[in-house]
Amino acid sequence: MTKFKKYFSIFVIYSKNTISRDISFRLSFFMSLIGSFCFVALNFFIVYFLMQKVNIGRWSYNEMIILLGNFYVLSYSIFLLFWRGFIHLVRDIRSGTFDYNLVRPVDSQFLVSLTGGGFHNLLSVVFGFFVIGWGIVNLGSGLNLIQIITWTISMLLGILACYSYILLIVTLNFRYGYLEEVINLAFGFQDFARYPIDAFSKLPFYLLFFAIPFSSLTTIPSIILIDTIFPTSKFLVFSVICVIFILFVRKVWVISLRNYTSSS
């Protein structure tokens, strides 16, 4: 419990500093906030009108709206919480300043994650919740407490799994040196989560290897909200796989640190 309180207090301090830094230049922050929201809103309306003309598997129009909302919550939560940390990690490995994280009495992965993202993405996350609510109301199915709890668990696991995947890609910098573009590649794979698993049934196998894991991060939470019969087996399998993957990436991080040689 003492260790938890220690890390929680550090998290609160870093979060306050991140927010203070982002809003210190108010005009810049306001423009970034509006720009981020306009981008996601424009993207939504393009997909909104497209889905009225195109059917994707068994998914109805309102079900796709719910999935799209889940995608916004997942994707922009990653940008909100971790984006800047990954950018800095790649840069710090190259310059050698990552060494400072190794000599501090706090877990290095925790410190890297605390660097933060972009607070201006918060409005896009809120918009994602609005889209989910809109889809549920139009679907007319309603929600019960079990659906809300399991959706929250699956979404948190999805965010952590997506974070872990990007971290796994970034750790290649420990072994192969400065790989600037891997961060763009890692974030680019998130776009697969915009569509349900059904949409990728005809893709070649090498693309399915990336498409299905990311697509499942939004497909499973959406099914939990949509299906009147709770998908117990899908939820349990999804949760177990996410937890195993998160622990696996943690192990890879620890092993990578053992092989890390400072660039400084």
Side-chain angles (χ1 to χ4, degrees), residues 118-169:
F119 189 62
H120 60 275
N121 290 298
L122 178 62
L123 192 57
S124 299
V125 176
V126 174
F127 181 72
F129 281 106
F130 169 78
V131 172
I132 293 173
W134 183 23
I136 291 173
V137 170
N138 289 338
L139 201 60
S141 57
L143 295 176
N144 56 49
L145 183 59
I146 293 177
Q147 285 177 297
I148 295 173
I149 293 173
T150 51
W151 176 86
T152 302
I153 294 172
S154 63
M155 183 55 67
L156 289 175
L157 286 174
I159 292 171
L160 289 175
C162 190
Y163 154 80
S164 297
Y165 172 78
I166 299 172
L167 182 66
L168 180 64
I169 297 297

Side-chain angles (χ1 to χ4, degrees), residues 8 10 23 25 79 81 119 135 138 146 171 176 204 222 250 261:
F8 181 74
I10 295 173
I23 66 176
F25 300 97
F79 283 111
L81 299 171
F119 189 62
N138 289 338
I146 293 177
T171 54
Y176 299 105
S222 298
R250 170 61 182 176
T261 55

Side-chain angles (χ1 to χ4, degrees), residues 22-153:
D22 283 350
I23 66 176
S24 58
F25 300 97
R26 296 183 180 180
L27 179 60
S28 176
F29 171 74
F30 179 76
M31 295 301 294
S32 297
L33 186 71
I34 297 301
S36 174
F37 176 73
C38 288
F39 176 80
V40 71
L42 178 62
N43 176 268
F44 168 75
F45 284 112
I46 291 174
V47 177
Y48 172 78
F49 290 112
L50 179 63
M51 287 189 302
Q52 292 180 330
K53 306 293 183 181
V54 179
N55 293 323
I56 300 178
R58 68 174 184 83
W59 292 73
S60 68
Y61 168 74
N62 288 317
E63 290 172 346
M64 282 298 301
I65 291 292
I66 293 173
L67 185 137
L68 190 61
N70 278 299
F71 168 74
Y72 291 142
V73 173
L74 172 78
S75 181
Y76 284 93
S77 291
I78 296 294
F79 283 111
L80 172 67
L81 299 171
F82 306 117
W83 167 73
R84 187 177 286 127
F86 287 124
I87 299 295
H88 287 188
L89 176 58
V90 173
R91 182 199 64 191
D92 291 346
I93 292 173
R94 179 187 63 172
S95 64
T97 53
F98 176 73
D99 297 5
Y100 291 113
N101 293 319
L102 300 179
V103 298
R104 291 170 179 166
V106 181
D107 183 81
S108 58
Q109 183 181 340
F110 182 74
L111 287 175
V112 167
S113 304
L114 280 182
T115 309
F119 189 62
H120 60 275
N121 290 298
L122 178 62
L123 192 57
S124 299
V125 176
V126 174
F127 181 72
F129 281 106
F130 169 78
V131 172
I132 293 173
W134 183 23
I136 291 173
V137 170
N138 289 338
L139 201 60
S141 57
L143 295 176
N144 56 49
L145 183 59
I146 293 177
Q147 285 177 297
I148 295 173
I149 293 173
T150 51
W151 176 86
T152 302
I153 294 172

